[in-house]
């Protein structure tokens, strides 16, 4: 049996790789063996293609579990399907350590699987390159010597920099010599296309490893349940005083209608006392805490959860976010399971779980002032009150700019303007607390009155002043940080003793903002869950209208009736009188009344339309729907990261390459009735050693020139041969 490999040179011409089996003759004693060899090759080809196509199964599965974001759970290894990383006490730590070890083992096993996936593809790609070389080698143009072993080298990344891939298609004899010998120009385009494809395949082959790893290895991620629409928001009831039977705890509609806001003392007096106690404790223990930390560390309760007022931000240091207690009550109901537990058993398959409730909150810009004030009586129902020493806290400086701030008082300016008051009794003298809602504010200091003539009015308080002009001019020239605090203000005024020309102010301009109320459901986290507000929207001055807030809400927060008396024996009364006798810093008054007013704003309810069925649609195109959902932190597959998206793209390209190999075999069989014979490197070397060249390498020097010599290569059933071609054949 001839296993030789005959090489016959054609200097101007390459020798092509052909698979054309010789006919089997009955008288040939080798015919039975050749027949068996043929079917052996056919079976090998079938098995080879099955092996190739099977690669698509794990590839498709990896793409499926990542595209559909399949969730594994709180651990990678849980055959019983009843594992829970979460728990209480020392046992939860031991459980976590046990599952961490299992997770490590599973990840190691997946890495081995990923390597097998990579090697599998490399084998398929290598066969494809061999078959492309064989297909090119059978054609009359032949194949360059430099291409004959590329199927063994293509997987190496350094092959990208192999110049022979690009130079081998060109003739070492020169274009003119070739054209003269053959009568046709040299054909190199298909070899250049092959070189480009080989380069691309090399890149894909080397990326398949990390691509498979990006898809086969799960990661710990957050995943959300479907958002459950629960109600349609119809607006905050801030402009009206408290009313109704269910708005304030322990208060009836009759009590609220008559202004008996002291009914809130059972539920909300302890809240203010808690606030005051925190401030007093901080001061008396000489704890140096910023207003921001005092605000964040003062915990309040509503129903089954705790919350804080958040927070001074770097961009808006005078902005406070006030959660809505009605939304907190809704969230408290949603987080309880049927047994009344905070943490539903159905979430034991998660590393961590949180609950979310979308809803309204109130975002308030605030300012403070301490100093003398001047009153301008414009008419019986119009008054302007101006306060020196108003601090522009929006700049976030330890030494903020100071202004004289004037506000309109009386319903002659606006029907929304309103006033109420109460008194804090003290042995040192009473403190009168006036609460105004004002429709307009104006600003002036030593450098500017914003082209409004306000400074002239302040300098001559007895002279007539065109206040309408001042208001209109200020509206056109105020900067943004002052514009957002120039309309619809809730003003708290403290007048100490009988000195009616000196006092302390704090004002709030409130906006409806939207937030996600988030609570951690993990049982080991908090005994009473703490709610935080996330994804809070920011008011846009000139676009979002400030809220009209009735001063009666402040009375309800203080649990005091209109013109009523708050006794200094309360913790809040003690704190404020301590500030009056200078035993407590004035700055503490800022935070305590900020918290008290924030408490008032948190009481404001909203109107809503409950959805009675899951499929109920909101009414109106601009309807605001409030929803509830939960999030789980679990091991899962997904395409959320850039690397996983890249990995999916590479695997998809790999799938196309695998299919290309199958389609190429079908095309070759249908078009040329050809069955490829895969030759081992040993057979190629043996055939090469048997070949006697006929001068095609004469006068060629260097690897590049030798690699450009072409041969037509012929496969038969038993051996591989380099066959000579006529020199005049087409190139």
């Amino acid at each position: 049996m001839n296993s030789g490999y005959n090489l016959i040179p054609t200097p101007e011409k390459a020798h092509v790789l052909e698979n054309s089996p010789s006919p089997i003759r009955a008288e040939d004693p080798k015919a039975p063996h050749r027949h068996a060899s043929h079917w052996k090759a056919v079976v090998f080809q079938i098995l080879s293609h099955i092996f190739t196509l099977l690669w698509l199964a794990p590839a498709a599965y990896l793409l499926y579990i990542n595209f559909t974001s399949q969730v594994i759970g709180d651990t990678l290894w849980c055959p019983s399907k009843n594992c829970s990383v979460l728990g209480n006490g020392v046992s939860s730590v031991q459980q976590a350590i046990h599952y961490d070890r299992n997770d490590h083992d599973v990840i190691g096993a997946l890495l081995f699987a990923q390597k097998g996936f990579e090697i599998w593809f490399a084998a398929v790609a290598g066969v494809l390159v061999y078959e492309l070389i064989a297909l090119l080698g059978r054609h009359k143009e032949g194949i360059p010597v430099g291409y004959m072993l590329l199927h063994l080298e293509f997987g190496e990344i350094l092959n990208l920099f192999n110049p022979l891939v690009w130079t081998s298609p060109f003739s070492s004899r020169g274009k003119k010599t070739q054209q003269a010998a053959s009568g046709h120009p040299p054909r190199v385009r298909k070899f250049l296309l092959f070189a480009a494809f080989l380069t691309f395949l090399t890149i894909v082959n080397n990326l398949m490893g990390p691509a498979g790893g990006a898809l086969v290895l799960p990661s710990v991620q957050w995943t959300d349940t479907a958002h459950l629409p629960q109600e349609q928001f119809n607006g905050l009831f801030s402009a009206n005083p408290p009313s109704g039977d269910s708005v304030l705890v322990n208060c009836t509609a009759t009590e609220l209608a008559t202004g008996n806001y002291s009914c809130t003392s059972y539920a909300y007096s302890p809240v203010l006392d808690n606030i005051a106690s925190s401030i007093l404790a901080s001061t008396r223990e000489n704890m140096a805490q910023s207003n921001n930390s005092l605000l964040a560390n003062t915990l309040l309760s509503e129903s089954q959860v705790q919350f804080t007022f958040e927070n001074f931000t770097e961009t808006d240091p005078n902005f406070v976010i006030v959660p809505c207690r009605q939304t907190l009550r809704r969230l408290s109901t949603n987080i309880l399971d049927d047994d009344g537990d905070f943490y539903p058993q159905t979430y034991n398959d998660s590393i961590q779980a949180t609950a979310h409730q979308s809803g309204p909150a109130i975002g308030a810009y605030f300012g403070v002032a301490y100093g003398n004030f001047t009153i301008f009586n414009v008419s019986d129902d119009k008054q302007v009150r101006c306060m020196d020493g108003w601090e522009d806290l929006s700049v976030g400086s330890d030494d903020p700019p100071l202004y004289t701030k004037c506000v309109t008082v009386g319903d002659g300016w606006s029907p929304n303007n309103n006033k109420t008051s109460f008194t804090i009794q003290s042995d040192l003298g009473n403190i009168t607390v006036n609460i105004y809602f004002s429709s307009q504010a104006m600003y002036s200091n030593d450098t500017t009155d914003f082209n409004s003539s306000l400074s002239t009015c302040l300098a001559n308080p007895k002279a007539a002043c065109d206040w309408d002009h001042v208001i209109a001019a200020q509206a056109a020239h105020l900067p943004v940080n002052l514009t957002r605090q120039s309309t619809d203000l809730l003003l708290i005024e403290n007048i100490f003793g009988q000195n009616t020309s000196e006092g302390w102010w704090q004002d709030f301009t409130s906006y409806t903002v939207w937030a996600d109320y988030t609570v951690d459901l993990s049982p080991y986290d908090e005994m009473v869950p703490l709610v935080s507000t996330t994804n809070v929207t920011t008011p846009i001055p000139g676009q979002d209208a400030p809220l009209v807030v009735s001063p009666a809400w402040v009375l309800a927060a203080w649990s005091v009736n209109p013109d009523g008396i708050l006794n200094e024996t309360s913790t809040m009364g003690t704190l404020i009188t301590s500030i009056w006798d200078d035993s407590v810093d004035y700055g503490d008054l800022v935070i305590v009344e900020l918290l008290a007013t924030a408490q008032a704003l948190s009481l404001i309810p909203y109107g809503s339309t409950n959805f009675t069925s899951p499929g109920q649609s909101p009414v109106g195109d601009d309807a605001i729907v409030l929803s509830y959902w939960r999030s789980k932190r679990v091991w899962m597959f997904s395409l959320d990261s850039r690397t996983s998206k890249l990995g999916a793209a590479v695997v998809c390209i790999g799938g196309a390459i695998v299919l290309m190999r199958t389609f190429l075999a079908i095309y070759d069989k249908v078009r040329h009735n050809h069955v490829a014979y895969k030759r081992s490197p040993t057979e190629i070397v043996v055939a090469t050693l048997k070949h006697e060249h006929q001068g095609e390498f004469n006068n060629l020097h260097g690897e590049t020139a030798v690699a450009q010599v072409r041969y037509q290569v012929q496969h038969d059933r038993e051996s591989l041969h380099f066959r000579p071609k006529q020199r005049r054949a087409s190139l």
Side-chain angles (χ1 to χ4, degrees):
M1 181 179 65
N2 180 18
S3 60
Y5 186 70
N6 301 323
L7 294 175
I8 301 181
T10 45
E12 319 304 337
K13 175 113 178 113
H15 307 260
V16 179
L17 189 77
E18 292 187 354
N19 280 307
S20 52
S22 303
I24 302 176
R25 298 179 181 177
E27 65 274 12
D28 189 350
K30 297 182 179 180
H33 179 76
R34 290 175 180 174
H35 184 74
S37 177
H38 169 72
W39 284 107
K40 181 179 178 181
V42 171
V43 172
F44 176 83
Q45 284 295 308
I46 294 174
L47 294 177
S48 173
H49 285 290
I50 292 175
F51 174 80
T52 297
L53 292 174
L54 283 177
W55 183 89
L56 295 174
Y61 181 71
L62 287 177
L63 292 172
Y64 168 76
I65 61 177
N66 281 275
F67 272 107
T68 57
S69 300
Q70 293 292 306
V71 174
I72 301 174
D74 54 350
T75 179
L76 296 177
W77 181 252
C78 183
S80 67
K81 305 297 182 183
N82 188 30
C83 304
S84 176
V85 173
L86 297 174
N88 292 293
V90 177
S91 61
S92 66
V93 177
Q94 294 172 343
Q95 259 181 237
I97 293 173
H98 171 71
Y99 288 127
D100 282 345
R101 289 173 179 169
N102 288 345
D103 292 344
H104 181 78
D105 289 339
V106 172
I107 289 174
L110 291 175
L111 287 174
F112 280 105
Q114 171 265 330
K115 189 61 180 177
F117 182 75
E118 176 189 0
I119 294 172
W120 193 348
F121 177 80
V124 172
V127 173
L128 174 61
V129 173
Y130 177 87
E131 291 176 348
L132 286 173
I133 293 173
L135 182 63
L136 291 172
R138 292 204 324 270
H139 284 249
K140 55 189 175 182
E141 292 91 349
I143 188 171
V145 171
Y147 279 7
M148 289 185 178
L149 296 180
L150 281 181
H151 64 288
L152 303 177
E153 302 173 348
F154 87 99
E156 299 178 11
I157 194 66
L158 292 179
N159 200 48
L160 292 174
F161 309 100
N162 182 2
L164 296 182
V165 174
W166 299 97
T167 60
S168 295
F170 297 95
S171 173
S172 60
R173 304 289 183 178
K175 179 178 178 181
K176 291 183 178 180
T177 304
Q178 282 198 9
Q179 189 167 354
S182 63
H184 298 280
R187 297 179 181 180
V188 298
R189 181 180 301 174
K190 66 180 179 181
F191 293 106
L192 293 178
L193 290 175
F194 172 74
F197 176 76
L198 186 73
T199 300
F200 174 74
L201 189 60
T202 300
I203 294 173
V204 173
N205 181 69
N206 283 276
L207 289 178
M208 191 57 67
L215 297 183
V216 78
L217 294 178
S219 60
V220 176
Q221 302 178 46
W222 285 98
T223 180
D224 293 343
T225 62
H227 289 218
L228 177 64
Q230 293 187 312
E231 55 187 344
Q232 179 175 325
F233 177 78
N234 296 330
L236 287 165
F237 295 143
S238 60
N240 302 316
S243 61
D245 287 320
S246 59
V247 173
L248 298 175
V249 178
N250 208 47
C251 292
T252 65
T254 302
E255 289 174 318
L256 295 178
T258 58
N260 183 16
Y261 302 123
S262 59
C263 63
T264 64
S265 60
Y266 176 79
Y268 297 125
S269 282
V271 175
L272 288 191
D273 287 344
N274 176 43
I275 293 172
S277 297
S278 298
I279 305 299
L280 282 173
S282 173
T283 301
R284 292 175 179 177
E285 295 175 11
N286 295 318
M287 294 173 61
Q289 294 194 61
S290 65
N291 287 346
N292 192 6
S293 62
L294 286 171
L295 184 72
N297 292 333
T298 303
L299 295 179
L300 298 95
S301 299
E302 179 59 51
S303 202
Q304 307 295 332
V305 297
Q306 291 182 324
F307 68 99
T308 63
F309 299 124
E310 305 173 275
N311 69 329
F312 302 108
T313 65
E314 294 182 2
T315 55
D316 294 309
N318 66 326
F319 185 69
V320 61
I321 302 165
V322 181
C324 177
R325 286 180 177 269
Q326 183 176 340
T327 305
L328 293 169
R329 288 192 290 271
R330 166 75 79 168
L331 177 61
S332 296
T333 302
N334 287 331
I335 64 175
L336 298 177
D337 63 8
D338 295 336
D339 298 325
D341 296 328
F342 287 128
Y343 189 80
Q345 293 300 312
T346 54
Y347 274 69
N348 279 350
D349 64 343
S350 60
I351 300 172
Q352 188 179 2
T354 57
H356 308 269
Q357 181 79 49
S358 63
I362 293 178
Y365 294 98
F366 66 91
V368 297
Y370 179 77
N372 296 322
F373 62 88
T374 306
I375 301 174
F376 295 86
N377 292 308
V378 181
S379 64
D380 291 342
D381 59 356
K382 288 184 177 181
Q383 189 182 85
V384 175
R385 300 176 76 86
C386 298
M387 184 74 180
D388 295 334
W390 187 85
E391 299 178 359
D392 181 11
L393 301 178
S394 66
V395 298
S397 170
D398 294 334
D399 187 20
L402 300 179
Y403 291 89
T404 295
K405 185 169 185 174
C406 301
V407 299
T408 58
V409 175
D411 56 12
W413 296 103
S414 169
N416 293 326
N417 283 6
N418 202 352
K419 177 199 172 184
T420 189
S421 62
F422 66 93
T423 301
I424 300 175
Q425 286 185 337
S426 169
D427 294 337
L428 302 175
N430 293 341
I431 300 173
T432 302
V433 181
N434 296 317
I435 309 161
Y436 299 92
F437 184 81
S438 172
S439 60
Q440 192 67 47
M442 298 152 281
Y443 299 87
S444 177
N445 61 16
D446 295 338
T447 60
T448 182
D449 62 3
F450 305 101
N451 300 324
S452 65
S453 303
L454 177 58
S455 58
T456 302
C457 297
L458 295 174
N460 301 283
K462 294 183 179 181
C465 181
D466 187 353
W467 290 103
D468 292 331
H469 166 74
V470 172
I471 292 172
Q474 291 241 333
H477 296 95
L478 283 179
V480 172
N481 61 312
L482 297 180
T483 297
R484 62 192 181 193
Q485 292 179 262
S486 64
T487 58
D488 297 330
L489 302 94
L490 183 65
L491 178 68
I492 318 296
E493 179 184 71
N494 297 267
I495 299 176
F496 304 102
Q498 302 301 315
N499 187 355
T500 57
S501 64
E502 184 180 11
W504 182 84
W505 281 4
Q506 192 165 42
D507 62 86
F508 298 81
T509 305
S510 305
Y511 295 84
T512 302
V513 297
W514 302 101
D516 294 338
Y517 292 69
T518 302
V519 60
D520 196 328
L521 297 178
S522 305
Y524 56 75
D525 196 25
E526 299 103 4
M527 295 303 295
V528 179
L530 176 63
V531 175
S532 61
T533 50
T534 58
N535 301 323
V536 181
T537 60
T538 303
I540 302 174
Q543 179 176 326
D544 297 324
L547 291 170
V548 175
V549 181
S550 170
W553 290 104
V554 179
L555 295 179
W558 286 81
S559 302
V560 64
N561 298 330
D563 300 319
I565 295 175
L566 181 69
N567 196 291
E568 70 169 338
T569 56
S570 68
T571 308
M572 183 63 81
T574 301
L575 175 61
I576 292 180
T577 54
S578 297
I579 295 172
W580 174 238
D581 67 9
D582 292 331
S583 62
V584 175
D585 187 78
Y586 154 74
D588 292 332
L589 180 59
V590 174
I591 191 66
V592 74
E593 290 213 0
L594 169 60
L595 288 166
T597 307
Q599 160 72 353
L601 296 176
S602 74
L603 300 176
I604 298 173
Y606 59 85
S608 64
T609 302
N610 289 328
F611 294 150
T612 56
S613 61
Q616 184 174 347
S617 301
V619 179
D621 296 335
D622 298 329
I624 299 173
V625 177
L626 308 182
S627 304
Y628 173 77
W629 70 98
R630 287 178 174 172
S631 300
K632 299 194 300 182
R633 190 165 178 258
V634 292
W635 286 97
M636 64 178 294
F637 300 94
S638 79
L639 294 179
D640 290 341
S641 67
R642 293 186 181 91
T643 53
S644 60
K645 290 183 176 68
L646 177 61
V650 172
V651 170
C652 287
I653 294 171
I657 291 171
V658 167
L659 292 174
M660 177 183 174
R661 194 230 158 176
T662 302
F663 293 147
L664 181 66
I666 296 173
Y667 168 82
D668 205 22
K669 176 63 177 176
V670 172
R671 186 72 179 270
H672 302 107
N673 192 28
H674 179 266
V675 177
Y677 293 86
K678 179 70 169 62
R679 301 302 181 180
S680 68
T682 301
E683 290 178 287
I684 296 175
V685 170
V686 169
T688 304
L689 293 174
K690 287 185 175 183
H691 172 70
E692 296 181 3
H693 75 85
Q694 300 176 3
E696 61 268 30
F697 296 108
N698 293 343
N699 301 319
L700 295 181
H701 304 285
E703 184 182 27
T704 300
V706 171
Q708 293 171 344
V709 175
R710 296 186 190 182
Y711 282 94
Q712 183 183 29
V713 184
Q714 185 179 35
H715 293 255
D716 62 23
R717 293 174 182 175
E718 299 183 45
S719 60
L720 180 69
H721 304 279
F722 290 91
R723 300 292 187 185
K725 287 292 181 179
Q726 296 298 321
R727 296 173 55 88
R728 300 285 300 176
S730 176
L731 292 175

